[in-house]
Structure formats: structure tokens, C-alpha cells
Amino acid sequence: MHETSEFRIGLLGSGTVGGAFAELLEQRAVAIEAITGMRPVLAGTLTRSRGDFQEILDGSDLVVEVIGGIEPARDYVLRAMRAGRHVVSANKQLLSQYGEELWACARENGVQLRFEGAVAGVVPVIRVLQESLAAARVERIHGIVNGTTNYILSEMARTGASYADALGAAQRLGYAEADPTDDVTGRDAAAKMAILARLAYSTPVHLDQVVYEGIEHITAEDIGFARDFGLGLKLIGTAERVADGISVRVHPAFLYGNHPLASINGPFNAVTIESEAITEVTLSGPGAGGPQTASAVLGDVISAMIPPASTPETTEDLAVVNDVASAFYLHLEVADRPGVLAQVAEILGMQGASIRSVVQRGLGDNARLVMVMHPLRESNFYAAVQLIAQLDFMRAAPRAIRVIDEEFAA
Ligand SMILES: NC(=O)c1ccc[n+]([C@@H]2O[C@H](COP(=O)([O-])OP(=O)(O)OC[C@H]3O[C@@H](n4cnc5c(N)ncnc54)[C@H](OP(=O)(O)O)[C@@H]3O)[C@@H](O)[C@H]2O)c1
């Protein structure tokens, strides 16, 4: 540590978040000095074309990593902590795959590793899980943790646009990258859910253990039909306790209108934390963006300037389970003839599935059966869907989307 009242920050990465961070730091330096008694200054900035990591490290009290990806970010973060520096990172890819190694390193070296900006942008969910709700036994987390897909699904619902058109609009507005693969496949949300599950359940959770499904196959028609049941579609991340351990997954899911996440539209993020002690807490706000994420990163820097803070301990060794119970929306394009519903219901019944609501729409070549099931084990449901797909009156492959079937007080 330096003996002056300066607090020196080494900045790794100067892109969308890094650039905004440098600007915000300059604007807020005086206010931060008033809070912490130390004046934060930039000790140096590393990009692909400028700066030297070792030099920046030597001149810093804390390192901010906003490069993204695994290497060289991982190497720099480890080297910084081994050199006794606190680290603030917004890198969900890195934390969801190398979190255990990084947290162990932080503990061994007595430094802080903070990462509020890695999940849900400026929404302070990491701090809430690690500190405010540290005493609560978290039963379940539901999150809309990817703004790009939430914008696309909101647009499809609002305008009836196709997936491709809504994605194009998201790209024009800067909500989606030129290559949106990580967002639309659910992988980005899966990384964030791995981090949240890790904190909520104090057990190691790796990105590879998160089952994820994206929104590429969603049609405006499904969204329209489901509206008649009072359902709206979101890409939902779930982390919950189940009988044999925990389940962590991301998939499109329908929500009833009174669910706290049902009203989160556009590029916003929100996370609902459920626990017996606290009932339910929902946090929401902008999920990404340079200035927004930079504000979360700078908040972490200020926290690190005023210790102490925790690194997550592993106190549990829970299994991550895949085959859980879910409710489903099922859309069947069928030939218009007698006995169709009875046959479908019989197959569903054989797998223990019971229908909560059903509508028949259209005639002749346009006939459809659309239904919402009560929760059942996913493997049973998909076994039934496979059998239904083979029936001779089916005109297209069945479409199934999960429904979050929870009652919340209005
Ligand atoms: N953008 C958001 O809204 C957002 C929100 C939440 C979290 N995050 C996370 O924040 C991190 C940064 O995202 P971003 O959007 O700011 O990325 P970005 O705009 O692509 O910026 C990345 C920065 O890192 C530098 N960099 C890349 N590879 C490097 C290397 N090998 N050595 C040194 N510098 C290197 C780049 O250098 P050049 O300038 O030379 O290209 C650039 O300055 C990621 O982990 C991301 O997941 C971003």
C-alpha cells in the first residue's frame, strides 16, 4: 500500500465498461475521497495496444479487470491477487468457470475479489446474496439476467414480430451484439446463474453443470396463444433446492401475470430471491451498458477501500440435479378429427401428466390443441411428447415451453 492518501487503481481493459469506468472515476473521485478518506486515481490502463501489466500492477493498490473472456484475464487476476492486490471484475465467463480457483487464491492471499458487475449489471444482487441475505436459507432464485433476450421477447409480445425481426431490432439499438450467440442460446444467462447458485447454496457450481436452452425456436404464435391463458414469456434462470441437491437451469418459460418477473420488459434485468425467512425479494434494473456496469464496478472499488468483505466459502457439497419437475405449455398442430384430444390426454395420463387448461383452435388444416400442464418430472413429460409426436394426426413437431407455476400474492 502507498503511504499517501491516494488509492491507486490499475485498469485492465478500456472498452465499453472500462472506458465508462475511467470517466465515472474522474467524476466521482472527490465524493469517494469524502467517504473513504482516500483519493482514488487511475494508476494505468491496459488494452491490447497500450500499457504493461506488470508495471500497472506494481503501481496499483487494486486492479479492475474488464477485459472479459478467460485468458489473459484469468492470468492477470491471479497474478494481481498473488501480489496482494484486491481485484474487482465484471467477468461472468471467468467466474462461472474458474471461480473456485480464484476465490481460493483470494483467501490464500488475504485479498478481496469483488464481482457485482458480473451478474445483472447494476442490480446489486451479489451484495444482497453475500451480505444482506447471508442469514436467509435461500430456497429459490428466479432471474431475468440477460437483457438482450428480454428485449427480443418483449418486442415479439408487443408487436407480434418474428424472432428474426426482433433480433434485428435489438442489434440496431445496440442491445444485441453482431454475434448474439451467447445471449440467444442462454449461455450468458447460464454463466450468471452458476454464479448466483454458487453464492446462494455455498457449493461449487460450474457453468458446465447448468442446463440451458435459448429462445431461437420461440414463435410469435406461441406468445400469442399463451396470452389467452394469461401467460407471458421470459428467458428465466432458475437456481433452486430440490430433493437430491440443487437445480440450476436457464430456459424460456411462461409466467402468470402476477409473478414479480412478469412485468420486467425491454433490456431490463430482475432477480427474485425466495426464502422462508424473507418470503420473496425482487431486485430489478438495467442489466448492462457501459455506464451502468461501470457504476457497479466502482461501487465494488469503494467497498474494497473500506474492508472487510467476504469471499464465498464452500460449506456444502450439493449435487446439481437435472431432472426436475416443471409445468409446461404444449402446442400441437393436429388433424381436425374426433378423438384427437382423448388420445393425447391418454398418453399424457400414462406419464402422470395432468392438464391444467386446454383450448382447441382453428379448423381443418389449421387445427391446434394448446394446453398448460400441471407440474411433472421433465423426463416423464418429454417421454409423453415423444409418443405424441409419432401419432398419425400430428401435422408438425409438438412445441413445449416451461411454465413457472407459482402463485404470488397480487
Ligand atoms: N458491456 C456491458 O454492458 C457489460 C455488462 C456487464 C458485464 N460486462 C463484462 O465486462 C467485461 C468487459 O466488457 P466490455 O463490453 O467492456 O468489453 P469490450 O468493449 O470488448 O472491451 C474489452 C477491453 O479489453 C481489452 N482487451 C481485450 N483483450 C485484451 C488483451 N489480451 N490484453 C489486454 N487488453 C485486452 C480491449 O482492448 P482494445 O481496446 O485494445 O480492444 C478493450 O479495451 C466482460 O467481462 C463483460 O462480460 C459487460
Side-chain angles (χ1 to χ4, degrees), residues 12-18 46-49 65-69 71-72 76 90-93 117-118 121 287-290 293:
L12 312 182
S14 184
T16 308
V17 178
L46 183 76
T47 67
R48 274 177 286 216
S49 55
E65 184 276 306
V66 279
I67 292 176
E71 294 296 355
Y76 290 157
N91 192 333
K92 62 229 153 195
Q93 300 95 335
T293 309

Side-chain angles (χ1 to χ4, degrees), residues 30 38 42 66 104 120 131 185 228 238 248 250 311-312 338 346 369 395 409:
V30 173
M38 285 179 283
L42 263 196
V66 279
E131 296 172 23
T185 58
D228 297 348
T238 301
V248 192
V250 171
T311 47
E346 190 188 339
L369 268 182
R395 293 183 296 108

Side-chain angles (χ1 to χ4, degrees), residues 192-250:
K192 294 163 177 171
M193 292 312 298
I195 297 171
L196 293 184
R198 169 67 181 86
L199 298 182
Y201 302 119
S202 301
T203 190
V205 182
H206 191 281
L207 172 60
D208 290 348
Q209 294 173 292
V210 182
V211 184
Y212 60 91
E213 187 185 307
I215 63 163
E216 310 99 305
H217 61 285
I218 298 294
T219 67
E221 193 189 36
D222 284 323
I223 296 178
F225 273 123
R227 191 178 290 145
D228 297 348
F229 294 120
L231 294 167
L233 191 71
K234 305 288 178 193
L235 182 69
I236 297 290
T238 301
E240 64 182 346
R241 290 184 195 277
V242 293
D244 316 322
I246 55 168
S247 162
V248 192
R249 55 192 197 274
V250 171

